[in-house]
Amino acid sequence: WPTCLACDRMPHQQMKVRAVIFDLDETLIEEETSNDASVLAAGEIAHARRGVDRVALLAALRKRSRELFLAGPLIDYCRNIGISTREALWGTFAGDDPSLAQLRQWMPTYRLESWWGALNELGVDDRALAAELVEIFESDRSRRHVVFAESERILHHLRKNFRLGLITNGAPDIQGTKIDGAKLASFFDTIIISGDHGFGKPDLRIFQLALRRLEVAAHEAVMIGDSLNRDIAGARDAGIRTIWINRYQRTLSESHAVPDIELTDLRDLPTILIPTD
């Protein structure tokens, strides 16, 4: 069973590695809370105009956007690349890939129907307001990039002794905007975005690509991420050791991949990771 580091800073094992590979969303930056904050910001307009409760609107939008997304024309592509419902509400989906072009065509309808459906659920039938909320949310979310408090300090420390890589699932424009907005690009020797390659975590190929670019063997690297299915299981299958960042104290089930180490945040990484001689 993994070593669990809770708030009391328990002792832990150490790993000798040459390269450290990070996930992005919910590992280095706050994704879900940023999305919620942007919805609530748009909800201020809905409250001012029609008395809509912002929190209720957030819940309704989650429900309606998910329903539409799962029934959408490119759900298999989105699952493969790692494009989420919340990202589909604001990304531009720039790029030459035919699937991205199809997403660009569908997005205006998807976003309007998501917001209009959410308003309808709260008793407000106002397509003009829905269209306004689409624009407000897109603008706010594209500028909101919150980095976890310890991320930059830890990356700066590790950069001195290790080769650093980043593997993130998603559309190139969305993930690129997050990385640039969070000012994290300069820390990494290589950055791999699934949408640039047509496959994403947990696909073995994306981890092998990272190893090649970092010029290390699998046993010389460690993968750090929050997703047991994508980050931990995928890296484990590639022969890479793993550290699970469990910020929200989720519980491991028997069906989950078991990480080598479990942490509640990134703060202990400098004492866990030891450069190889």
Side-chain angles (χ1 to χ4, degrees):
W1 199 253
T3 303
C4 182
L5 301 183
C7 297
D8 57 358
R9 325 309 294 170
M10 294 169 59
H12 45 72
Q13 67 194 71
Q14 293 181 321
M15 289 184 180
K16 281 192 173 184
V17 296
R18 290 180 58 206
V20 185
I21 306 170
F22 283 91
D23 166 59
L24 181 65
D25 298 325
E26 303 300 349
T27 298
L28 294 171
I29 68 172
E30 297 186 37
E31 167 71 6
E32 195 66 36
T33 56
S34 295
N35 184 74
D36 290 353
S38 293
V39 174
L40 293 172
E44 291 281 3
I45 301 300
H47 178 73
R49 301 276 174 79
R50 302 297 295 268
V52 173
D53 182 271
R54 297 187 312 146
V55 177
L57 181 61
L58 171 60
L61 181 68
R62 282 177 177 168
K63 177 176 178 290
R64 185 57 180 150
S65 64
R66 178 173 173 78
E67 291 171 350
L68 292 171
F69 189 72
L70 293 177
L74 290 162
I75 184 59
D76 291 337
Y77 171 78
C78 291
R79 282 174 170 158
N80 182 45
I81 296 302
I83 298 170
S84 69
T85 304
R86 58 183 178 267
E87 291 168 340
L89 288 169
W90 68 275
T92 63
F93 299 102
D96 297 329
D97 189 300
S99 295
L100 289 175
Q102 291 180 60
L103 277 175
R104 285 197 299 273
Q105 292 178 342
W106 182 55
M107 283 304 103
T109 299
Y110 166 69
R111 291 168 185 174
L112 180 60
E113 293 297 323
S114 292
W115 282 95
W116 184 46
L119 288 171
N120 260 288
E121 189 167 315
L122 302 178
V124 176
D125 183 4
D126 190 335
R127 290 183 73 89
L129 176 59
E132 187 176 359
L133 297 181
V134 167
E135 294 184 6
I136 293 170
F137 173 79
E138 289 177 1
S139 176
D140 188 273
R141 183 63 188 89
S142 65
R143 300 192 310 268
R144 191 184 295 270
H145 306 290
V146 181
V147 182
F148 285 112
E150 78 278 12
S151 293
E152 291 188 50
R153 175 174 58 84
I154 295 302
L155 288 172
H156 181 75
H157 182 92
L158 296 179
R159 188 79 179 85
K160 300 173 185 176
N161 298 309
F162 305 96
R163 295 184 62 78
L164 300 187
L166 179 68
I167 305 177
T168 179
N169 281 3
D173 71 290
I174 295 175
Q175 300 308 102
T177 296
K178 293 176 188 176
I179 294 165
D180 292 342
K183 297 181 173 57
L184 296 179
S186 63
F187 289 108
F188 297 101
D189 296 289
T190 187
I191 294 173
I192 300 172
I193 300 174
S194 65
D196 285 325
H197 303 279
F199 50 83
K201 299 174 292 184
D203 193 303
L204 180 67
R205 292 173 292 175
I206 205 160
F207 296 97
Q208 292 173 331
L209 176 60
L211 294 174
R212 289 196 299 272
R213 288 188 177 182
L214 292 169
E215 300 181 324
V216 296
H219 71 273
E220 297 176 308
V222 60
M223 177 72 204
I224 299 170
D226 74 297
S227 172
L228 289 166
N229 294 327
R230 294 185 297 272
D231 301 317
I232 305 307
R236 184 191 62 182
D237 290 345
I240 300 170
R241 286 171 289 177
T242 60
I243 296 177
W244 180 35
I245 304 302
N246 184 14
R247 294 183 184 275
Y248 308 110
Q249 300 186 23
R250 290 169 290 169
T251 303
L252 278 168
S253 71
E254 292 183 0
S255 64
H256 284 134
V258 178
D260 293 290
I261 293 175
E262 175 184 342
L263 302 176
T264 56
D265 54 50
L266 305 175
R267 288 178 292 167
D268 286 323
L269 289 179
T271 59
I272 293 173
L273 302 177
I274 307 299
T276 55
D277 298 331

